[in-house]
Amino acid sequence: MASDQAQTSFEEDLTSRYFKHEKTATESSLRSSVPPAKSTALEQIFASQVWMNQTGELDRFQLQSLLEIRRDDENRESFHCIFNECGYGNYESTNAIEHVRGTHFGNRPYLCDQWYDSITCKHPSLIDVVDSDKAFTRKHDLRTHEQTHDQSSKNPCPTCGNTFTRSSNLMRHIRSAHGGSPIRSDEGSA
């Protein structure tokens, strides 16, 4: 009975832990690397309930205030991380926001169920670890990852026979391993 309660408590604790980094160390590190003009925006995030409780998804609009908008030579907007020596930039604000959320704040609210099941069964000592390869900032990225667990969707390479769970990985394999673009089955029948 006691072990059942401990397992339930362990599972509840793991499912409520959406942040990879230790809160106090992260706050200290981020405070020291943010430009003074952005310190108010950073403190607003630290004061949010999501950050205080270390559960849920940080607000994207608050995170957006931690980006610097620049224009390139062709007058296109790009969004850059403001943290010292990071250097991350992207033309899509959503990608830059997810970078700040996952990389600097460690907020990855979408956990892989199969990883969660294996960690609770095999490695209860890893309660405070959120593997960045198994936790995601966007639900779409989690769904893409989950395709790797689907054994029914194998994509075989027509040249060497290696199989891939995602067609995009097969295409990359064909380009890099076989030096070209894949031949579609409907192209060869003409």
Side-chain angles (χ1 to χ4, degrees), residues 1-150:
M1 185 67 152
S3 67
D4 289 342
Q5 288 176 335
Q7 182 67 22
T8 302
S9 173
F10 171 77
E11 289 173 1
E12 288 171 355
D13 196 17
L14 185 59
T15 57
S16 68
R17 179 130 176 98
Y18 293 124
F19 289 79
K20 180 178 180 184
H21 309 307
E22 198 274 319
K23 181 177 160 188
T24 307
T26 301
E27 286 181 10
S28 175
S29 172
L30 293 178
R31 281 188 177 110
S32 69
S33 67
V34 71
K38 297 288 188 172
S39 62
T40 303
L42 183 63
E43 293 305 322
Q44 287 176 342
I45 292 172
F46 289 155
S48 72
Q49 287 300 310
V50 171
W51 181 257
M52 300 290 275
N53 297 330
Q54 293 284 285
T55 59
E57 188 173 347
L58 289 172
D59 183 80
R60 69 178 313 277
F61 295 107
Q62 286 182 326
L63 293 170
Q64 189 169 9
S65 65
L66 298 176
L67 299 176
E68 179 182 327
I69 301 172
R70 300 179 190 163
R71 295 206 173 267
D72 65 10
D73 294 340
E74 297 172 13
N75 205 29
R76 295 180 299 174
E77 276 187 340
S78 60
F79 302 87
H80 296 264
C81 180
I82 60 151
F83 295 105
N84 290 346
E85 300 178 21
C86 176
Y88 181 88
N90 200 295
Y91 287 107
E92 297 290 330
S93 65
T94 303
N95 293 338
I97 289 167
E98 296 310 322
H99 160 79
V100 170
R101 179 187 322 228
T103 302
H104 298 292
F105 286 91
N107 183 214
R108 297 174 178 271
Y110 301 101
L111 298 177
C112 170
D113 287 340
Q114 288 199 15
W115 173 82
Y116 169 78
D117 290 344
S118 70
I119 204 75
T120 56
C121 296
K122 298 176 187 168
H123 307 286
S125 62
L126 297 178
I127 182 82
D128 289 331
V129 176
V130 175
D131 186 338
S132 61
D133 291 338
K134 311 295 188 251
F136 304 90
T137 59
R138 291 183 275 213
K139 190 179 283 189
H140 166 78
D141 295 335
L142 172 61
R143 299 289 172 249
T144 300
H145 164 77
E146 286 173 339
Q147 291 176 1
T148 64
H149 298 301
D150 183 6

Side-chain angles (χ1 to χ4, degrees), residues 155-158 160-164 170 173:
N155 297 288
C157 174
C160 67
N162 285 346
T163 59
F164 301 87
L170 169 62
H173 161 77

Side-chain angles (χ1 to χ4, degrees), residues 150-167:
D150 183 6
Q151 297 302 314
S152 66
S153 63
K154 295 283 186 181
N155 297 288
C157 174
T159 306
C160 67
N162 285 346
T163 59
F164 301 87
T165 54
R166 296 179 50 208
S167 61

